[in-house]
Amino acid sequence: MTPTVGYVVLAIYAALLAAGGIMGYVKAASRPSLIAGVASAVLVAIGLALAASGIRGGFWLAGAVAIALTVLFGVRYGKSGKFMPSGMLGLVSVVVVALLAWLLLAPGS
């Protein structure tokens, strides 16, 4: 996988996180959802900007956020049993972790 694919994945992931926070605020007036969603999106966007600048640590930052969110959304899904939004965002986070792991740890990367 090329770094360009990683950039696209992180951009989409950041957008989904921000959208999820905004949806939580709009649908349930949940200020914590808005803050957490936008803050997570900003951290992933910072990771993207660092990675795009040639600093591989940006991918590691975004990966750490994705791992933390995988755990958080997994716990929430376990408690609620509802796929939306926790199950979906947890699944997306797992995919992001897997793609970043491939990008960072694959031979020759």
Side-chain angles (χ1 to χ4, degrees), residues 6-75:
Y7 305 150
V8 171
V9 167
L10 291 183
I12 292 169
Y13 187 49
L16 286 173
L17 292 172
I22 292 167
M23 282 179 36
Y25 182 74
V26 169
K27 287 192 172 203
S30 173
R31 194 172 272 162
S33 287
L34 176 63
I35 293 167
V38 171
S40 298
V42 166
L43 287 173
V44 171
I46 290 169
L48 170 59
L50 290 171
S53 298
I55 301 169
R56 285 178 59 89
F59 286 130
W60 288 101
L61 171 63
V65 172
I67 289 168
L69 292 176
T70 297
V71 171
L72 174 77
F73 290 128
V75 169

Side-chain angles (χ1 to χ4, degrees), residues 67-109:
I67 289 168
L69 292 176
T70 297
V71 171
L72 174 77
F73 290 128
V75 169
R76 286 187 180 172
Y77 175 71
K79 287 182 180 179
S80 72
K82 295 180 182 178
F83 185 72
M84 288 298 287
S86 297
M88 189 269 297
L89 284 172
L91 183 61
V92 169
S93 295
V94 167
V95 170
V96 170
V97 169
L99 290 173
L100 289 175
W102 177 268
L103 177 68
L104 291 167
L105 303 174
S109 59

